[in-house]
């Protein structure tokens, strides 16, 4: 492994491990989800503004009116994605919310087929079917021991909504080739500040050093720092390796949920989580499927 790939791998692993702890910090804050996302955007914007200034990404001419508009729309989708995903944690647990959220690659495939004319192959449909079966397994845990009834289903719905909005944002970002990714991230979190400022509760600001340290960490580390590591890794690594390492995120989130909150999944839920992650990995890595009596499905 050459030095660039080695460094990119370390950056990607660090970014995914950081991402895996987001849910923990969100729940530890004890604040309404809207306030958590607002302060994450504020501190994330300040961090990314400094990063973009150091990298020389604040000069005129990098964005046209069209690319700026697309970046703003992607920001609306990303902020909506954060609101829904964070709201899912307290209802369905970090583990389940994160697992369900990982259906977003399939939503992106469907959106790309509908709007970009990309081919929807038998292989992709097969992996999509496996992911859907995993979803059914998770949803079937509704009402079982340790699950919060309607709240559980609401949490799953929120995670699905978050996945859809992420897929929309990713689809838009495909149109922003040539725009520095750190600048896109800065625009997105800045949009979040403007979107949520009218809704944030400034009459009851977060209290105590503990709460502010959590919000600062979410902004500086989980947003600014994570984006820098993630985009740095993407620039250094082949796509296949990037996709493979991205699955550290859900594994880390499930581990954190278990260690911090003692949330343990049922056997059926584990099967559902495994099916979704296997299907997402299979599609991203281009693995073929062989079904009895059928020819091998491939790209």
């Amino acid at each position: 492994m050459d030095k660039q790939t080695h460094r990119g791998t370390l950056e990607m692993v660090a970014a995914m491990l950081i991402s895996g702890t987001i849910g923990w910090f969100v729940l530890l804050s004890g604040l309404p989800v809207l306030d958590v996302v607002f302060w994450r955007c504020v501190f994330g914007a300040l961090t990314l503004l400094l990063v973009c200034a150091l990298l020389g990404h604040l000069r005129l001419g990098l964005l046209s009116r069209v690319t700026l508009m697309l970046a703003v729309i992607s920001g609306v989708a990303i902020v909506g994605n954060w609101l829904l995903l964070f709201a899912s944690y307290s209802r369905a647990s970090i583990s389940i919310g994160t697992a369900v959220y990982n259906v977003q690659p399939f939503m992106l495939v469907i959106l790309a087929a509908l709007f970009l004319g990309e081919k929807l192959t038998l292989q992709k449909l097969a992996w999509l079917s496996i992911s859907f079966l995993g979803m059914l397994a998770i949803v079937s845990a509704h009402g079982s021991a340790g699950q919060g009834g309607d709240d559980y289903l609401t949490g799953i719905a929120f995670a699905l909504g978050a996945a859809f909005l992420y897929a929309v944002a990713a689809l838009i970002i495909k149109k922003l080739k040539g725009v520095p990714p750190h600048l896109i991230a800065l625009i997105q979190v800045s949009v979040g500040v403007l979107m949520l400022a009218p809704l944030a509760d400034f009459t009851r600001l977060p209290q105590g050093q503990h709460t502010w340290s959590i919000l600062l960490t979410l902004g500086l580390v989980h947003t600014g720092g994570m984006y820098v590591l993630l985009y740095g890794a993407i620039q250094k690594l082949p796509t296949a390796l990037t996709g493979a390492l991205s699955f550290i995120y859900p594994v880390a989130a499930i581990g954190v949920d278990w260690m911090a909150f003692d949330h343990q999944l049922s056997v059926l839920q584990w099967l559902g989580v495994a099916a979704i992650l296997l299907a997402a990995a299979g599609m991203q890595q281009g693995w073929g499927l062989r079904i009895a009596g059928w020819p091998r499905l491939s790209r």
Side-chain angles (χ1 to χ4, degrees):
M1 183 182 292
D2 59 62
K3 285 186 177 181
Q4 178 166 296
T5 303
H6 179 69
R7 180 177 176 182
T9 300
L10 293 177
E11 289 174 342
M12 188 68 184
V13 169
M16 293 302 96
L17 289 175
I18 290 171
S19 296
T21 64
I22 287 178
W24 182 28
F25 279 82
V26 169
L27 295 181
L28 279 180
S29 73
L31 296 175
V33 167
L34 190 147
D35 290 336
V36 173
V37 176
F38 171 72
W39 290 109
R40 180 189 187 186
C41 288
V42 169
F43 295 127
L46 293 173
T47 306
L48 288 165
L49 181 65
L50 176 61
V51 171
C52 287
L54 292 174
L55 294 175
H57 294 334
L58 298 181
R59 64 184 185 278
L60 295 175
L62 284 178
L63 293 168
S64 65
R65 288 185 180 179
V66 173
T67 54
L68 177 59
M69 180 186 69
L70 289 174
V72 168
I73 295 172
S74 76
V76 173
I78 284 292
V79 173
N81 153 68
W82 288 344
L83 289 170
L84 290 175
L85 182 61
F86 292 177
S88 76
Y89 293 152
S90 61
R91 292 169 173 82
S93 84
I94 295 172
S95 300
I96 295 301
T98 304
V100 172
Y101 181 66
N102 271 272
V103 304
Q104 52 86 10
F106 301 101
M107 293 184 176
L108 180 57
V109 164
I110 293 171
L111 289 175
L114 290 174
F115 297 105
L116 300 182
E118 294 186 7
K119 189 177 180 181
L120 193 58
T121 64
L122 282 175
Q123 175 184 308
K124 290 178 180 178
L125 288 172
W127 287 123
L128 178 59
S129 299
I130 292 174
S131 177
F132 181 71
L133 290 174
M135 177 68 58
L136 289 179
I138 290 174
V139 171
S140 69
H142 166 57
S144 64
Q147 304 304 332
D150 290 339
D151 247 12
Y152 179 69
L153 295 182
T154 301
I156 289 177
F158 282 168
L160 283 172
F164 175 76
L165 289 177
Y166 183 87
V168 169
L171 192 72
I172 294 171
I173 291 171
K174 280 178 174 282
K175 298 288 188 181
L176 297 177
K177 291 180 179 178
V179 180
H182 302 90
L183 182 58
I184 296 173
L186 172 60
I187 293 171
Q188 289 173 337
V189 291
S190 299
V191 166
V193 174
L194 295 176
M195 277 177 58
L196 300 180
L199 304 174
D201 188 357
F202 293 107
T203 62
R204 291 185 296 176
L205 292 174
Q207 298 296 313
Q209 183 178 349
H210 174 71
T211 303
W212 279 112
S213 65
I214 289 173
L215 295 175
L216 277 168
T217 302
L218 283 169
L220 299 178
V221 179
H222 291 89
T223 307
M226 193 274 291
Y227 271 118
V228 170
L229 289 168
L230 178 63
Y231 290 144
I234 289 173
Q235 291 171 349
K236 298 178 181 72
L237 298 177
T239 302
L241 183 54
T242 301
L245 292 173
S246 68
F247 287 93
I248 293 173
Y249 160 53
V251 173
I254 291 171
V256 167
D257 197 24
W258 172 62
M259 288 187 290
F261 302 106
D262 197 29
H263 285 162
Q264 300 185 27
L265 305 183
S266 68
V267 173
L268 192 57
Q269 287 175 318
W270 272 119
L271 290 174
V273 170
I276 290 173
L277 297 184
L278 173 65
M283 193 188 69
Q284 289 193 18
Q285 299 301 307
W287 297 337
L289 277 176
R290 186 185 296 277
I291 302 175
W294 289 29
R296 184 176 184 274
L297 301 179
S298 59
R299 287 183 179 178

